[in-house]
Every structure is written in structure tokens, then in C-alpha cells.
Amino acid sequence: NGQISVGLSINLREIVIDGIVLNNVKASIVIDGDAPVLLGQSVLERLGITEFDPDKRTLTIKMK
């Protein structure tokens, strides 16, 4: 939304999302916010095809 927040950038050695293992993931920790850990589009692209439903507030991952 264009809002500026104070945060910290980190590198996660490994994360697992529904059985999908990703290594060396860049993430941001927002000090003041509703979503304290943020993963960007580059991470979503590594998961496969993703679909976000804003009404249901769900993210669906379809394997490549």
C-alpha cells in the first residue's frame, strides 16, 4: 500500500511450506505491523503457480 515501516532483512536457511522445501530465502521482519514476517514475490515464484483470493484470504499453491 506504499506505507513505510521499520524492519529488518534476514536470510532463512530453509523453510518448508506444505512439504515444499526452499533454501536461502530472503525475508523481512516488520517491527510494527499486522504481518510481522514478509515473504516477497520471488519466494512465491519458487513455490509454483499461486492464486490469492482476497475475499477468502487464502493463498493456493499449484505445483509446477
Side-chain angles (χ1 to χ4, degrees):
N1 67 5
Q3 181 179 352
I4 297 174
S5 299
V6 177
L8 175 70
S9 293
I10 61 170
N11 186 58
L12 303 172
R13 281 187 258 164
E14 177 180 282
I15 63 171
V16 180
I17 300 173
D18 197 31
I20 302 168
V21 179
L22 299 175
N23 296 304
N24 298 316
V25 174
K26 293 180 182 176
S28 296
I29 299 173
V30 179
I31 294 171
D32 183 27
D34 293 331
V37 179
L38 302 176
L39 301 175
Q41 186 64 35
S42 62
V43 174
L44 295 177
E45 289 172 352
R46 291 168 61 181
L47 293 173
I49 299 169
T50 57
E51 294 178 1
F52 177 68
D53 184 336
D55 296 326
K56 295 179 183 176
R57 299 179 71 180
T58 60
L59 179 68
T60 302
I61 302 168
K62 297 181 179 182
M63 300 298 293
K64 288 184 180 180

